[in-house]
Each structure stands twice: as C-alpha cells, then as structure tokens.
Amino acid sequence: MTLRDVSEASGVSEMTVSRVLRNKGDVSAATRAKVQEAAKLLGYVPNRIAGSLASSHVNLVAVIIPSLKNMVFPEVLSGISDELDESVLQPVVGVTGYRPEKEEQVLFEMLSWRPAGLIIAGLEHSDASRAMLAQAAIPVVEIMDVDGAPIDSCVGISHRRAGHEMAEAILRAGYRRIGFLGTQMPLDHRARKRFEGFTRTLAKAGIEIEGQEFYAGGSALVKGREMTQAILDRHPDLDFLYYSNDMIGAGGLLYLLENSVDVPGKIGLAGFNGVELLDGLPRKLATMDACRREIGMEAARMIKARIAGQGEPGKIMTMTPRLELGQTLIRS
C-alpha cells in the first residue's frame, strides 16, 4: 500500500496525501477527512523508517521497564500513554526482567529505531547502557527514583526517604522486634534503597532488624505466604514485618489471618506501592503510595516539552509518596 493508492482512492494529489498523513501543511478540513477516511479503509500505514531518514527520528517514545508482572509498572505505562494520547507520539515498551545485560540489549534495539525520546526505569545501569543513553542525542527521562545522578532528567521518589518514613511510623506505633521481607533484592535497586533508609532509621533508635527473608523471583501472594511462614518459624517473637512490596505483604496478611494471628495486635505489617487491587483484603494493609501514575505522566510531559523545544535538560522532579497506615500498623 502506497501514497499513490491513497491518492487515487481519495482523488487528491500524493503531495496532499503526504501532508495530511504527516499532519503538515495547510489542508482544508474536508480534504483532510477524505484522505484520512481513504487511508483508513485501505489499511494504509506510513513508512516511518523512510521518514526518519529526513527527520532523524520517528514519533515513538521508547519506554524501558523491568517487569510487566509487577502491578506497579502497568500504572506507570498508563500515565505515560494518557499523557501522550493527544500528541503524535506513541509509546513502545521494552522489558528487561531486572537484568542489566537484558537492559543493554533492549536499549540497543530501541535506540536503533531512532525514537524521539526515551523513558527508562531506575538510575542504575551498566557502563554500556550509560554510554548508549549519554550518546543517544534525544531526551532521556529516568523514572521511579531520585536517589542518584541522572544521565539527563529524572522523576520519581526518594526510596531512602520512603524507608525512613516507614521506619518512623513503625517505631511510633511501639513495635520493636522487626523483620524485613523482600523480593528481587539483588537487582531491584529501589527496594534496596528503601531497605537502607529503613535500617538506618531503626539503627538511630538503637534497633536492628532481627530477621530477614529474601527471594530473587517475582512478587506473588503465594510467595508472601511462604516467606512469612519461613521468617516466623525462625523468629517467632517478631512483632512487625515490613515487606518490600504490597503483593508479598498481602500474602503474609492472609497467612497470618488464616492462622488466627492478631493483626496488628500481636504482629503488625506494612508493604509498599499502594496497590488498589488489594483494597478488598480482610484488613487494609499499611503501605506507601509511590506516585506511579503521576510519575508516568510527568515523564511523558518532560519528553513532550523537550521535543517541542520548551523544556530544559537536567530537570529533576521529586514526588512525595503518601503513607497509608491502613489497619495493620496502628494497634487499637
């Protein structure tokens, strides 16, 4: 299918068809509608690769995230998509599985298409990935984290601050024998930073983590159950469990309630992310909303502004997560 096919079907010149489909030039509303209808009926898709030879990029925004299984990132993608919806830009997604070598591969393939901008999760990258990002010559926005030095711009929360604030809330509630349960800890830098902020705040109060349970797989309710049973088998006197995310926290809550453990009287719980899907649990889990959708929307705004020549490189935007005490942290 070519411009000539659309031209013949709509009864206008190929030049006019090109202007309409590129949204360039002065074309009447009636002619524009006629061309668009003809292109739609014919199933015409423009060759963006050819167009990119002249413009140096295509109207795609590369979005690179570590996982689609984690419920956090679909909300980020939703924010990005909604913000780009009224523009010519389209997001295209790559998934790394939290693996630096996979991130290098995805980044190489994405940049080879010369996207107009790039949004990537996290501030930690391999040397090869950092080199590609630095030499990309397009707007780059790193998201979800501000605890570090961005290559270009970034928007997110301070995870060390989030861990600090959760530790303070737990201490205020009177809990002292605390355990931590985390997934993807070797590779999830943001979870690691929360753990650092959490333990440092406890240490200042003279308290050390008494039990830890780590798992390198993805987040799941069943894993939360297993981890909770394992840590309490080793440390039955713990009076609080802090989970690196809400999914394993929810699994832990269900395990404790099924075993008739008084939550939060005997043992308190808290997670992270503020996942709305878990609002139907028997108890509302204490958590912290990480501003996921807002981060996605702001990252897309930064990309749009830079492409339009209105934004500045090096912008850092720190958002404030909201602590939700729920029904598993404050003792009645």
Side-chain angles (χ1 to χ4, degrees):
M1 190 62 60
T2 66
L3 285 179
R4 177 176 295 180
D5 296 312
V6 180
S7 170
E8 292 175 353
S10 60
V12 302
S13 70
E14 290 184 39
M15 181 64 72
T16 300
V17 171
S18 177
R19 287 173 180 168
V20 171
L21 297 180
R22 291 185 297 115
N23 199 28
K24 302 288 186 181
D26 186 15
V27 181
S28 71
T31 299
R32 186 177 299 277
K34 186 190 301 182
V35 171
Q36 289 172 338
E37 181 65 17
K40 181 178 179 181
L41 291 174
L42 291 171
Y44 175 78
V45 177
N47 184 347
R48 298 300 189 193
I49 300 303
S52 71
L53 297 177
S55 66
S56 79
H57 65 75
V58 294
N59 288 329
L60 298 176
V61 175
V63 182
I64 301 177
I65 57 175
S67 174
L68 282 171
K69 296 178 182 178
N70 188 326
M71 287 191 295
V72 169
F73 294 103
E75 288 195 46
V76 176
L77 293 176
S78 177
I80 293 171
S81 179
D82 287 351
E83 186 61 34
L84 296 179
D85 189 49
E86 297 300 323
S87 73
V88 299
L89 300 169
Q90 292 293 328
V92 57
V93 180
V95 180
T96 69
Y98 290 93
R99 292 182 287 135
E101 67 278 10
K102 180 64 174 177
E103 182 178 271
E104 291 177 15
Q105 179 186 354
V106 172
L107 188 56
F108 179 87
E109 294 296 335
M110 290 283 198
L111 290 177
S112 72
W113 286 90
R114 300 298 187 267
L118 187 142
I119 298 171
I120 186 168
L123 296 171
E124 284 77 20
H125 314 284
S126 69
D127 290 343
S129 289
R130 291 189 67 85
M132 283 188 281
L133 290 167
Q135 297 297 324
I138 57 173
V140 173
V141 180
E142 291 161 285
I143 60 172
M144 311 304 289
D145 193 3
V146 296
D147 293 322
I151 292 168
D152 184 351
S153 299
C154 72
V155 54
I157 68 167
S158 168
H159 287 267
R160 290 193 178 97
R161 180 70 186 175
H164 163 76
E165 291 184 1
M166 184 61 78
E168 286 192 329
I170 292 168
L171 292 173
R172 284 195 301 269
Y175 297 102
R176 293 295 182 270
R177 303 180 67 85
I178 301 166
F180 180 87
L181 303 89
T183 61
Q184 293 284 6
M185 288 297 293
L187 299 173
D188 188 339
H189 298 285
R190 293 172 292 284
R192 172 181 55 79
K193 291 174 184 178
R194 289 196 301 277
F195 181 68
E196 290 172 358
F198 186 72
T199 53
R200 286 175 185 173
T201 302
L202 294 182
K204 290 180 180 178
I207 295 174
E208 293 185 4
I209 293 285
E210 293 196 16
Q212 301 178 34
E213 186 73 19
F214 297 112
Y215 170 65
S219 304
L221 290 174
V222 66
K223 182 51 61 177
R225 290 171 179 267
E226 294 170 357
M227 295 171 71
T228 301
Q229 180 178 7
I231 196 171
L232 291 178
D233 283 347
R234 293 198 311 274
H235 306 279
D237 294 332
L238 293 178
D239 66 3
F240 200 92
L241 300 177
Y242 179 38
Y243 299 82
S244 69
N245 63 68
D246 286 347
M247 286 301 293
I248 56 173
L253 172 62
L254 293 173
Y255 169 81
L256 293 170
L257 293 180
E258 287 173 5
N259 286 275
S260 301
V261 177
D262 179 8
V263 178
K266 177 175 172 50
I267 187 166
L269 308 174
F272 182 82
N273 280 324
V275 177
E276 293 181 4
L277 183 63
L278 303 181
D279 286 347
L281 290 171
R283 306 275 171 83
K284 187 170 178 58
L285 184 69
T287 187
M288 189 171 281
D289 180 5
C291 311
R292 301 175 300 280
R293 179 176 170 79
E294 296 94 327
I295 287 172
M297 295 184 72
E298 185 56 40
R301 290 191 194 107
M302 288 181 176
I303 294 291
K304 288 197 303 184
R306 292 279 298 282
I307 291 173
Q310 300 170 349
E312 294 292 332
K315 182 177 182 180
I316 299 175
M317 176 170 287
T318 302
M319 295 191 170
T320 303
R322 297 174 288 273
L323 176 63
E324 300 173 9
L325 299 178
Q327 299 170 304
T328 64
L329 198 156
I330 301 300
R331 287 170 165 147
S332 58

